[in-house]
Amino acid sequence: MCVGDPLRLLSVEGIAGTTTDGTRVSLVDLSLVPEAVAGDWVLCFLGTAREIITAESAAQIAAALDALRSVMAGGEVGDAFADLDRAPSLPPHLQAALDAGQSHG
């Protein structure tokens, strides 16, 4: 599984950008987002920025990643997913199976 990191662009030089997550500085490839400028938030996968995101989205993604790290270390999720204002739902075929009383495949 590939997880994207929200990073803030500090500077841009050609197709390379210097970014930070607030604790570390890294160099990323901006080939897929040539319109990105210093100050933008980008979602990066394996050292490549895939899209420009809002500061709000960056904060939500960072909170979710922090919650996952916490759970993996035996901690709690807290309110990291508070932006999800709906209960999770099953795909229609699984919901139909559950409604029919099936609990396993």
Side-chain angles (χ1 to χ4, degrees):
M1 176 173 69
C2 187
V3 176
D5 287 315
L7 302 173
R8 183 102 190 235
L9 269 172
L10 299 174
S11 65
V12 175
E13 187 172 327
I15 62 167
T18 302
T19 61
T20 185
D21 64 359
T23 59
R24 63 185 166 89
V25 174
S26 58
L27 192 64
V28 300
D29 180 349
L30 298 174
S31 298
L32 299 175
V33 288
E35 68 278 12
V37 296
D40 283 346
W41 284 92
V42 290
L43 190 58
C44 296
F45 297 83
L46 300 173
T48 301
R50 300 284 175 98
E51 68 179 289
I52 298 171
I53 59 175
T54 66
E56 180 181 3
S57 290
Q60 290 172 342
I61 295 166
L65 292 173
D66 287 343
L68 290 174
R69 287 184 199 99
S70 174
V71 168
M72 290 173 68
E76 297 294 323
V77 172
D79 63 352
F81 297 98
D83 60 301
L84 299 179
D85 57 359
R86 62 173 176 79
S89 59
L90 292 172
H93 69 287
L94 294 178
Q95 186 62 54
L98 184 62
D99 293 344
Q102 296 177 343
S103 62
H104 61 281

